Amino acid sequence: PLFSQKLTNSFIYNPALAGHTFGSITYAYRQNYANVPGAPKNHFLSMHTPFANHKMGMGFNVFQEDVNFIRNTYASIAGAYHLHFNRYNILSVGVSGEYNLTRLNGSSNTISEPDPVLNQLQSGDPTYDFSFGVNYQTRHFKAGFAVNRLATSWLKKESTNLTNYFSGYAQGLIPMRGGDDLLEPYVAFRKFSETNDTYDVGLFYTVDAKI
């Protein structure tokens, strides 16, 4: 899935960003290929917030995707600790627990021999995992790195609904108009598999901390 919301696209991968600086609430719905039966559609809900005088943060993500007769449900809960060296320098570390369930949603078009993959989906066995992340912010720059689904990586399970991956990002914080506005160039890298590298590049401009 594509998470393009500015306040959420890093937190979904890096638990160290839970409650970093400030929190956010995001809900997104997407439907592909209008009027096509069984076309992919998904719901995404995310929230994170600081507490303990911004020294700690917590949050969660819930994602559900329906593709034809298959439904995938993913949820994670994250906690982070934020070490403030001064007003502008913050080191954050975080960990998240993850839940994933892939199962049948409706009936398939299999009418002959039993399909072992469909039988596995019908049983609906969930998979659990966890991730670890680090983030560092200065006055004009911040960057983070996360290693995701560590149990999958370490245990090397033959049958799992989750795939281990890692991700990283870097973002500038450039004051404009005497500090009234903020320009934020952004780049992210995600390694989802041995053959899948994903890059995101963005540019955000905030006017007077309002728009």
Side-chain angles (χ1 to χ4, degrees):
L2 175 65
F3 302 104
S4 58
Q5 293 79 14
K6 174 180 181 293
L7 302 179
T8 310
N9 55 3
S10 296
F11 170 57
I12 183 69
Y13 301 102
N14 191 341
L17 289 169
H20 179 68
T21 310
F22 49 85
S24 72
I25 299 176
T26 298
Y27 171 75
Y29 172 77
R30 183 175 65 184
Q31 182 172 356
N32 296 16
Y33 317 127
N35 301 320
V36 176
K41 59 181 179 180
N42 58 58
H43 299 266
F44 172 57
L45 176 65
S46 176
M47 185 187 78
H48 67 99
T49 182
F51 65 97
N53 197 26
H54 289 263
K55 293 181 179 179
M56 304 184 74
M58 65 180 301
F60 69 87
N61 299 286
V62 179
F63 175 78
Q64 179 177 289
E65 182 177 44
D66 294 323
V67 182
N68 204 348
F69 55 86
I70 296 177
R71 169 169 291 179
N72 182 60
T73 303
Y74 168 84
S76 68
I77 183 169
Y81 177 75
H82 308 293
L83 178 60
H84 294 250
F85 296 105
N86 53 45
R87 181 180 177 184
Y88 298 109
N89 291 270
I90 308 170
L91 175 65
S92 304
V93 294
V95 64
S96 65
E98 304 175 41
Y99 165 92
N100 195 82
L101 176 62
T102 302
R103 65 187 188 278
L104 292 180
N105 179 35
S107 59
S108 73
N109 57 359
T110 300
I111 58 176
S112 56
E113 293 297 325
D115 189 325
V117 176
L118 292 179
N119 290 339
Q120 182 181 4
L121 292 175
Q122 198 162 13
S123 65
D125 295 329
T127 306
Y128 304 92
D129 222 303
F130 71 99
S131 299
F132 173 79
V134 178
N135 191 79
Y136 186 73
Q137 177 169 336
T138 67
R139 186 172 186 176
H140 300 302
F141 180 79
K142 60 182 178 179
F145 182 83
V147 182
N148 304 90
R149 297 175 181 168
L150 287 168
T152 299
S153 177
W154 290 345
L155 297 179
K156 302 293 184 181
K157 293 179 290 185
E158 294 181 1
S159 177
T160 177
N161 292 335
L162 301 180
T163 302
N164 60 295
Y165 60 89
F166 59 87
S167 59
Y169 87 101
Q171 184 167 335
L173 304 166
I174 305 171
M176 307 291 288
R177 292 200 314 126
D180 292 337
D181 298 353
L182 185 64
L183 178 68
E184 299 172 90
Y186 171 89
V187 60
F189 168 77
R190 300 181 180 100
K191 180 75 172 180
F192 291 109
S193 69
E194 294 182 358
T195 59
N196 189 320
D197 297 341
T198 300
Y199 297 88
D200 292 342
V201 178
L203 187 66
F204 305 104
Y205 193 92
T206 304
V207 179
D208 197 23
K210 294 182 175 64
I211 301 175

